[in-house]
Amino acid sequence: MAKIHIFKDIDKMIREIPVSEIMSKNPVTMKHDDTVKKAVDMMAKKNISSILIVDDKGIPIGIISDGDLIRKVYSKNKDPKKVKLEQIMSTGVITIKPNTSIRATSALMKSRKVSKFPIMHDGKVVGYVTKSDIIKKLKDIYYQASKLRWLPVIMMVLVIVIAILIAVNISQI
């Protein structure tokens, strides 16, 4: 019976883990009038695959990814020093709150066909979460849960060993 409760608790935990636990803090942001060249340099320097584009108040207005750079700039032989981010950014950025669960976040990613969300708190970008962040956390949870499935067997072996030890001690009296 305890085994069932353990796995129910794990399932509940998976559903309720907030993205604030797995988000990248202080995401890289740029302005809409920055150049693609500046963005590429920043992405290379920070080893990231996307940049959040924000307005003067720090509110997300777009996002660019390495795929956008390839499809919208380099494959069309455009000069990255002349192309502004506003010309290639994806708009209609969806933001989520830090207390949004990873389950709700992954469902939203699937339904909106996106792979990352900026995280807003009190009107300010506080983080960024990606599919990779979610997959990594779920992998860690799965690993921990797979250890737990052996718990009943380990407990039974311990009880048997203790019973044998008690029986041996009693027979020596």
Side-chain angles (χ1 to χ4, degrees):
M1 193 79 160
K3 179 180 175 183
I4 294 170
H5 291 298
I6 290 170
F7 289 108
K8 282 183 181 177
D9 291 344
I10 290 170
D11 182 55
K12 182 178 178 184
M13 182 178 72
I14 290 169
R15 285 182 280 144
E16 295 179 1
I17 294 172
V19 291
S20 61
E21 288 189 22
I22 62 170
M23 71 183 185
S24 300
K25 294 180 171 110
N26 304 316
V28 175
T29 62
M30 297 185 86
K31 302 290 183 179
H32 65 93
D33 57 350
D34 285 329
T35 64
V36 166
K37 170 74 169 113
K38 185 175 177 181
V40 168
D41 291 345
M42 181 63 71
M43 290 167 86
K45 179 181 175 184
K46 300 281 187 178
N47 194 28
I48 55 176
S49 62
S50 62
I51 294 180
L52 191 59
I53 312 305
V54 296
D55 64 15
D56 294 331
K57 295 178 182 175
I59 306 297
I61 58 170
I63 189 168
I64 61 154
S65 67
D66 48 7
D68 292 324
L69 299 172
I70 292 167
R71 283 187 308 279
K72 299 174 183 178
V73 180
Y74 293 102
S75 70
K76 295 184 178 183
N77 294 317
K78 292 182 178 181
D79 185 351
K81 293 176 185 172
K82 294 181 181 175
V83 177
K84 303 287 184 187
L85 297 180
E86 65 191 350
Q87 295 173 271
I88 65 161
M89 69 183 187
S90 299
T91 58
V93 177
I94 302 164
T95 64
I96 59 174
K97 295 178 180 181
N99 63 346
T100 306
S101 71
I102 61 172
R103 181 179 186 194
T105 301
S106 61
L108 190 58
M109 284 178 173
K110 183 178 179 184
S111 70
R112 298 296 183 130
K113 297 179 180 161
V114 297
S115 59
K116 49 193 75 94
F117 287 123
I119 300 168
M120 302 279 292
H121 181 68
D122 291 335
K124 188 175 167 187
V125 176
V126 295
Y128 207 64
V129 67
T130 67
K131 279 184 186 176
S132 296
D133 297 327
I134 292 172
I135 290 168
K136 182 177 183 271
K137 183 64 175 181
L138 292 176
K139 185 181 115 196
D140 292 345
I141 290 169
Y142 175 77
Y143 176 73
Q144 294 300 322
S146 67
K147 287 182 180 180
L148 286 176
R149 83 177 142 177
W150 292 102
L151 186 60
V153 173
I154 292 168
M155 295 301 289
M156 187 181 332
V157 169
L158 286 174
V159 167
I160 292 170
V161 168
I162 291 169
I164 291 171
L165 291 173
I166 291 171
V168 168
N169 283 335
I170 291 174
S171 67
Q172 291 179 354
I173 297 179

